[in-house]
C-alpha cells in the first residue's frame, strides 16, 4: 500500500488517510531497520563526529528534533548538495526553509554493493551523500551496463523525482559503506511549495552529459 502511486490509489479507491498511515509506518520501519543495521555494522565507528551527530538527529521523528539540533545539522551540511547556494541549485530560499528540510530528512545507510535506486523504477526520493562513495551506471544501446560517474560526499542525486513521477534513468550502487540523507517527495512538496521550480526545470533542460536520475 505504501508504495502505490496516485493513479493506483484512485483506481483502487484507497482511503487517503489509510494510505498516509501506511506510508508513515513503512518509513518508520525502514528508519528503524537502517538504524539497527548501522549499529550492527559499527557504522558509528566508521564516520566522523559530525556525521554521527546528523545520524543521531535524523533517527528522531521530525517533530522531536529541536531547533538546536537542526541548526547543528544545518551547519554540518551547509556546503552539501542543495544546501550550498554556490552550486546554483537554489532549492532553498532562506535559513528557515533549510532548517525545515533538515527537519524532514531521513538517514539511510548502505553497505558496499547495495543498490540505492535502479534504472527503470519510479523515483520518489532524492539523496545527499553524507559519507561514502557510490557508482552511477545505466544500460547502453548495446544492452550493457555502462559506468557514468562516481558520486562523492557532499553531492546529491535523484532530484528529478522531486518534479514528478519520473522513472529513474540510471542505477546507483554503493561502492563503499555510505550514509545518505533522503528527502521524500511528500516532504519536498510540503517544504518547497513556495519555491520557484522554473530554475530547477531550466537546469534539467540543460542537462547533456549525465542525467540526475
Amino acid at each position: 500500500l505504501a508504495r502505490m502511486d496516485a493513479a493506483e490509489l484512485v483506481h483502487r479507491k484507497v482511503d487517503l488517510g489509510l494510505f498516509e498511515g501506511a506510508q508513515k509506518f513503512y518509513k518508520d520501519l525502514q528508519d528503524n531497520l537502517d538504524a539497527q543495521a548501522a549499529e550492527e555494522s559499527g557504522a558509528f565507528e566508521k564516520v566522523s563526529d559530525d556525521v554521527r551527530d546528523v545520524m543521531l538527529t535524523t533517527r528522531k521523528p521530525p517533530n522531536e528534533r529541536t531547533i538546536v539540533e537542526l541548526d547543528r545539522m544545518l551547519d554540518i551540511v551547509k556546503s552539501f548538495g542543495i544546501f550550498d547556494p554556490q552550486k546554483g541549485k537554489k532549492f532553498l530560499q532562506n535559513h528557515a526553509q533549510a532548517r525545515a528540510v533538515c527537519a524532514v530528512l531521513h538517514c539511510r545507510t548502505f553497505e558496499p554493493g547495495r543498490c540505492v535506486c535502479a534504472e527503470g523504477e519510479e523515483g520518489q526520493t532524492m539523496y545527499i551523500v553524507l559519507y561514502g562513495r557510490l557508482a552511477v551506471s545505466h544500460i547502453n544501446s548495446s544492452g550493457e551496463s555502462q559506468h557514468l560517474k562516481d558520486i562523492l560526499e557532499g553531492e546529491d542525486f535523484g532530484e528529478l523525482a522531486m518534479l514528478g513521477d519520473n522513472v529513474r534513468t540510471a542505477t546507483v550502487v554503493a561502492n563503499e559503506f555510505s550514509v545518505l540523507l533522503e528527502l521524500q517527495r511528500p516532504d519536498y512538496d510540503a517544504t518547497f511549495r513556495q519555491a520557484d521550480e522554473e530554475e530547477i526545470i531550466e537546469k534539467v533542460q540543460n542537462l547533456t552529459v549525465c542525467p540526475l536520475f
Side-chain angles (χ1 to χ4, degrees):
L1 178 61
R3 292 181 178 274
M4 288 185 182
D5 58 23
E8 189 172 2
L9 284 173
V10 173
H11 176 71
R12 295 179 178 270
K13 299 181 180 180
V14 175
D15 179 76
L16 181 59
L18 178 62
F19 170 68
E20 292 176 345
Q23 275 195 319
K24 183 179 186 303
F25 173 81
Y26 178 79
K27 183 189 299 183
D28 290 344
L29 176 62
Q30 185 62 63
D31 289 344
N32 289 335
L33 290 175
D34 284 341
Q36 181 179 354
E39 292 176 352
E40 291 176 349
S41 66
F44 286 169
E45 298 178 2
K46 301 177 183 178
V47 300
S48 67
D49 290 345
D50 284 347
V51 173
R52 185 161 55 248
D53 285 348
V54 173
M55 293 176 72
L56 289 172
T57 297
T58 55
R59 286 176 62 177
K60 294 183 176 182
N63 61 351
E64 294 182 11
R65 301 175 192 178
T66 68
I67 292 178
V68 172
E69 289 173 330
L70 294 177
D71 283 344
R72 162 68 174 153
M73 181 177 169
L74 184 55
D75 186 59
I76 293 170
V77 302
K78 62 185 178 183
S79 63
F80 285 16
I82 62 173
F83 293 97
D84 185 1
Q86 299 302 318
K87 294 181 179 178
K89 299 191 176 183
K90 299 181 181 179
F91 272 34
L92 306 176
Q93 297 179 346
N94 51 54
H95 179 83
Q97 195 175 68
R99 181 193 287 164
V101 170
C102 287
V104 296
L105 287 173
H106 294 268
C107 193
R108 303 286 307 277
T109 58
F110 293 83
E111 294 294 331
R114 183 178 171 189
C115 181
V116 180
C117 59
E119 182 175 357
E121 70 180 12
E122 181 183 348
Q124 291 291 327
T125 53
M126 72 170 291
Y127 301 91
I128 303 168
V129 183
L130 190 60
Y131 176 88
R133 178 191 295 264
L134 304 99
V136 183
S137 63
H138 82 126
I139 303 301
N140 61 25
S141 57
S142 300
E144 300 176 340
S145 178
Q146 177 181 353
H147 179 266
L148 295 176
K149 61 175 288 188
D150 284 345
I151 305 176
L152 308 177
E153 180 179 310
E155 298 181 335
D156 57 54
F157 62 94
E159 63 193 55
L160 289 182
M162 301 297 101
L163 300 179
D165 295 330
N166 294 282
V167 174
R168 303 289 193 190
T169 57
T171 295
V172 181
V173 176
N175 271 346
E176 57 189 49
F177 174 77
S178 300
V179 181
L180 308 182
L181 293 174
E182 178 187 71
L183 177 61
Q184 300 193 6
R185 177 65 188 275
D187 296 327
Y188 168 89
D189 288 342
T191 303
F192 293 100
R193 193 163 290 130
Q194 303 301 321
D196 183 4
E197 291 191 346
E198 290 183 0
E199 293 179 348
I200 306 172
I201 294 173
E202 180 180 355
K203 177 191 168 197
V204 171
Q205 291 173 340
N206 291 333
L207 291 175
T208 57
V209 180
C210 179
L212 292 178
F213 29 90

